[in-house]
Amino acid sequence: MKQDAHMPSWGILGGAFDPPHTGHVALAQTAVQALGLERLLVIPTGQAWHKTRPLSAGQHRLAMCQLAFASVPQAVVDDRELQRSGPSYTVDTLHELCTQHPGVQWKLIIGQDQAERLHTWHRWQDILQIATVFVAVRASGAGSAGQLALNTIPLAFAHHILPMARVDVSATAIRAAVQAAAPTATDSISALVGPAVAGYIAAHHLYQGLQAGISA
Ligand code: ATP
């Protein structure tokens, strides 16, 4: 896609966000700052074709995203994939966005685990025609350490590196922690998801006693 420096630069950060956590928020903040994004669309997936476990209800993941990303002014939580029936394909989302917002430069922000699978995504070559892909490399050191980490993974598509400070947290670990500690998990998971999301999880009894909720 043709791009020029005067086109507004918008990012897209998709995920299950089940639940959203401090790693996702750090990724959003890093992307906004490093890439000079005017807007970052945070898009919870509807039916995740690549995840084997059933996700929590879309309404909960949407509400938690709104709470989690409230601290990033450029972030806008977008529910289009939750509204769509059928599997959530990024390429469909990008086509819709291009039609709605012509003249925008699209930057797709993905983590390392998604980067390793991007070549299996539906019409992934079309995605690369529409958006520039930025792979967040979680490094404990500075940018060069991040580059080194990614070099161990062969990525067979054009991409840029987005170095970010490592935040060791995953939604899988949070679901497991809630299941193990509920109903007293609110305090212990606050540091991982922030107090607002921790309160939401407790209020709606999410992830308690859900065996299926633990596997990825
Ligand atoms: P799960 O543990 O259920 O697989 P997750 O924590 O990886 O979930 P997702 O919703 O699948 O969360 O991830 C959305 C995006 O955020 C992906 O691109 C993923 O690589 C990235 N991501 C996940 N955890 C982190 C983290 N700690 N730091 C930076 N990026 C992350």
Side-chain angles (χ1 to χ4, degrees):
M1 165 160 285
K2 229 175 128 196
Q3 301 186 344
D4 75 53
H6 304 294
M7 292 163 82
S9 188
W10 288 18
I12 297 172
L13 175 59
F17 301 121
D18 195 16
H21 52 64
T22 52
H24 297 136
V25 176
L27 176 56
Q29 281 163 340
T30 303
V32 164
Q33 281 163 18
L35 308 179
L37 302 178
E38 282 182 21
R39 193 177 294 190
L40 175 67
L41 300 181
V42 175
I43 308 184
T45 189
Q47 287 181 31
W49 56 271
H50 56 291
K51 296 235 180 201
T52 50
R53 68 178 183 85
L55 299 178
S56 303
Q59 78 200 59
H60 289 314
R61 292 182 292 114
L62 182 67
M64 289 190 285
C65 281
Q66 278 154 350
L67 295 171
F69 291 97
S71 61
V72 185
Q74 295 83 354
V76 175
V77 181
D78 183 306
D79 70 351
R80 72 184 59 234
E81 292 192 0
L82 298 174
Q83 301 298 344
R84 203 189 292 153
S85 57
S88 290
Y89 292 127
T90 300
V91 69
D92 296 338
T93 301
L94 281 168
H95 278 303
E96 265 181 38
L97 287 169
C98 284
T99 305
Q100 278 172 9
H101 306 285
V104 166
Q105 232 181 106
W106 296 101
K107 296 182 174 169
L108 183 66
I109 320 299
I110 57 175
Q112 256 176 267
D113 52 337
Q114 284 190 344
E116 287 166 44
R117 294 192 303 260
L118 190 134
H119 66 284
T120 68
W121 291 11
H122 185 57
R123 292 172 50 201
W124 64 274
Q125 291 97 335
D126 292 349
I127 294 174
L128 301 181
Q129 294 299 313
I130 301 170
T132 308
V133 177
F134 287 83
V135 180
V137 174
R138 298 171 233 169
S140 36
S144 58
Q147 181 72 55
L148 200 65
L150 195 75
N151 281 345
T152 60
I153 305 161
L155 295 181
F157 58 87
H159 64 277
H160 297 268
I161 302 291
L162 178 64
M164 70 173 284
R166 176 177 276 283
V167 182
D168 271 325
V169 52
S170 75
T172 303
I174 293 163
R175 292 191 299 275
V178 175
Q179 192 181 39
T184 55
T186 312
D187 289 344
S188 59
I189 66 157
S190 250
L192 306 175
V193 296
V197 173
Y200 188 97
I201 289 171
H204 295 271
H205 312 291
L206 300 183
Y207 312 124
Q208 298 178 13
L210 275 180
Q211 214 42 52
I214 290 184
S215 59

